[in-house]
Amino acid sequence: MSPVPPEPPSSRTATGSPDPLEWLTGLEGVPSGFASTRDGIDALLRDRGLRRSTPAQTAESLLRGAHASAALAGSTSTLEEVRDGTGDDVAAAAVRVSTELLSLVPVLGQAPLQALARVHALTGAPDPGRPVSPEAAERLRSLGRTVLATRVPALLLAALVHAEVVSAAPFSAHNGLVARAAERLVLVARGVDPASLVVPEAGHLALRAEYESNLRGYATGGRSGLHAWLLYAAEAQARGAESSPLRG
C-alpha cells in the first residue's frame, strides 16, 4: 500500500486545490456504506437526546473504547477491571489515552502529526511520539498533509487514518492504540460525534477477525485491499454506534 492513496488530477477542494482522497468516494459501495452509517449515528444522537447527554456518558464511551482497544492489542483485562483501575499494562495505556484524547481535538485540525505524537506519548511507550525511521516519519507527514487537505466524509477519513497508522507502524509500540484513538478523534473533530458517544473501538472488537484480516489486506492488497477496508470500516463504525452508552 502506498503511503497515502494518490490524488486524481480532477479532484479539488473548496479552495481549488487537489483533494487527495476524493476518488475514494467513487469506489463501489463506499459512499452508500458510509452514508448509511452516518444516518444511523445521526439517528442515535438525535433520538437518544444529544443535547441531554452528560459528561458521564462521554466518559463511559471513552472507557468502553479503551477496553475494546486494549483487547485488540492483546489485553486480557475485563471491562470491570479497566473501570476500577486494576487492568493490565496495555489496558492502563489505553485508559491514559482516553483520558486526554478529547483535549487533542483542536490540535488535530491544525497539526495532525502533533496530535498523533501526543497520543503515542500517552501510551507510555519508549521514544514517545518519535517515528522509528525516516520512512515512517515521511509516511506520517504524508498522512498529515492529507488530513488537512481533504474534505471527504469524516467517517471515511477516520477509517483511512486508522488503517494508515496501523500499516505504517510509525512508533516504537502501541501503534494500534494510537490508530484506534485517532479514528475516534477524527469523528469528534469533524463533527460526526461531537460528544464522543459512539464507541468505534468496540465495533472493531465485535468484528475482530474481519478487522485483522482487512487491516492485513490494506497493508498488502493495493487498491483492492483499501476498498475492502473501507467497506468493512463502515460496518464496524455502525457496530460502534450500537455500543454507545446512549443505548444503555
Side-chain angles (χ1 to χ4, degrees):
M1 185 66 200
S2 60
V4 172
E7 61 191 49
S10 60
S11 297
R12 300 280 159 177
T13 64
T15 62
S17 58
D19 188 314
L21 298 183
E22 173 128 10
W23 70 276
L24 297 177
T25 64
L27 294 177
E28 183 177 1
V30 168
S32 59
F34 284 114
S36 177
T37 298
R38 180 65 188 265
D39 287 346
I41 291 172
D42 288 347
L44 170 72
L45 299 181
R46 180 181 65 249
D47 295 346
R48 298 304 176 101
L50 177 59
R51 294 195 182 111
R52 297 190 300 275
S53 66
T54 66
Q57 289 172 319
T58 294
E60 176 64 18
S61 172
L62 288 163
L63 185 72
R64 293 181 187 184
H67 168 256
S69 189
L72 288 166
S75 171
T76 59
S77 299
T78 66
L79 177 58
E80 289 310 311
E81 287 171 337
V82 173
R83 194 186 306 282
D84 65 22
T86 60
D88 56 28
D89 289 347
V90 176
V95 169
R96 285 195 300 272
V97 169
S98 71
T99 300
E100 292 194 33
L101 186 64
L102 298 188
S103 69
L104 297 174
V105 169
V107 181
L108 184 74
Q110 299 179 2
L113 300 192
Q114 183 179 337
L116 292 176
R118 177 57 183 160
V119 173
H120 182 250
L122 289 169
T123 70
D127 297 321
R130 183 179 303 173
V132 295
S133 68
E135 293 78 15
E138 176 52 37
R139 190 157 177 177
L140 278 183
R141 285 192 292 270
S142 181
L143 178 60
R145 291 191 295 268
T146 297
V147 170
L148 294 176
T150 191
R151 292 297 178 267
V152 297
L155 290 166
L156 190 161
L157 177 60
L160 182 74
V161 169
H162 181 156
E164 267 296 298
V165 174
V166 172
S167 182
F171 301 117
S172 59
H174 291 320
N175 288 290
L177 295 184
V178 175
R180 291 182 287 275
E183 179 178 21
R184 182 187 281 260
L185 195 56
V186 171
L187 297 182
V188 176
R190 294 291 177 112
V192 172
D193 182 21
S196 202
L197 295 166
V198 173
V199 191
E201 306 91 340
H204 296 303
L205 183 60
L207 299 170
R208 185 169 192 162
E210 294 93 331
Y211 172 69
E212 294 172 349
S213 174
N214 279 289
L215 278 176
R216 290 192 297 270
Y218 179 93
T220 62
R223 292 196 179 193
S224 63
L226 167 61
H227 190 182
W229 165 258
L230 293 177
L231 294 174
Y232 155 80
E235 180 182 359
Q237 290 164 344
R239 289 287 191 99
E242 294 173 5
S243 298
S244 171
L246 292 179
R247 291 196 179 276

